[in-house]
Amino acid sequence: MEHKSKKLCSPPGGRRMVCLIEDLNMPQKEKFGAQPPLELLRQWLDNDFWYDRTSRSKRQVNDMQLLCCMTSGRPEITSRFSSKLTMLNVTFPSDNVVTKIFSAILNWRFQGVPAEIADLADLLVKGTVQVYTRVTTDLLPIPSKSHYLFNLRDLSKVFQGICGSHLESIETKEHMYALWVHECMRVFQDRMNDANDNVWFKNLVSDKLATIFQTKWSTVMKARSKPAQPFTDKESPMFVDFWDGEQYELAKYKLVPGINLLKAKVEDALDRYNGEPGSRSM
């Protein structure tokens, strides 16, 4: 914004500014039901000005438009403010629409990979959507778990991780299953702060491996490397982008053969870092 005069502000160059306000219904209601931050916005919508807090004089703001977003389930905004807006309700897409969107993305990413891997695209989408549905249905937010809020962005992060992996190193179907398990656990399970919820989620993923992918958790763990590395019940498949020693933006996102090998690699990197001149020992 630039000052056209002492009491008038507007976007530069004769343009029009769109001001995006997210989480519009986040402000807490006061004793009488009003939301003071929204009343300030309503004042501008009605009169095109605000008052300067120092001089108490009017400051007119022209050529600005508000674009507001809010999430259902939180306190509703007041009717006197909503009457100034054009309300658009965007519902969550159906499972068929979500499946079509992410299937198209995976099928494009899997071009050029072996048919054994490419044919898993639809199953990966089906399994992810079912996991997301169960998590959002059974793990509802409560005061002690207020961060248990999952949306379409979280669902897309699973496929983002799959698409960002080094597919040339995915040699078998079990490697792709391991990648899928890892991404689901990073997106959903890492947010869970209750031990029972973690066990419940692992059982959910194990069930999807059996019913959708026709395999077992133990089979996926054994297939990480040849010969198979030992593993415990608490261990899960893991992918990292530093396995080949690369530390740049395009480092390969690859499967870890075993937790003991990962521990040895991390400790070796730590020793090399501590041995560098001028470094602070860790």
Side-chain angles (χ1 to χ4, degrees), residues 122-159:
D122 292 338
L123 294 180
L124 292 171
V125 174
K126 179 180 179 181
T128 308
V129 171
Q130 289 188 10
V131 168
Y132 171 82
T133 302
R134 283 291 304 277
V135 169
T136 54
T137 302
D138 295 359
L139 298 183
L140 300 176
I142 59 176
S144 61
K145 305 172 185 177
S146 59
H147 58 288
Y148 280 23
L149 295 171
F150 302 95
N151 52 39
L152 192 60
R153 184 183 296 111
D154 299 296
L155 184 61
S156 67
K157 287 179 180 178
V158 176
F159 301 104

Side-chain angles (χ1 to χ4, degrees), residues 48-59:
D48 292 332
F49 69 81
W50 284 299
Y51 286 102
D52 188 298
R53 294 180 59 186
T54 303
S55 63
R56 305 294 192 272
S57 60
K58 294 181 180 180
R59 299 292 187 185

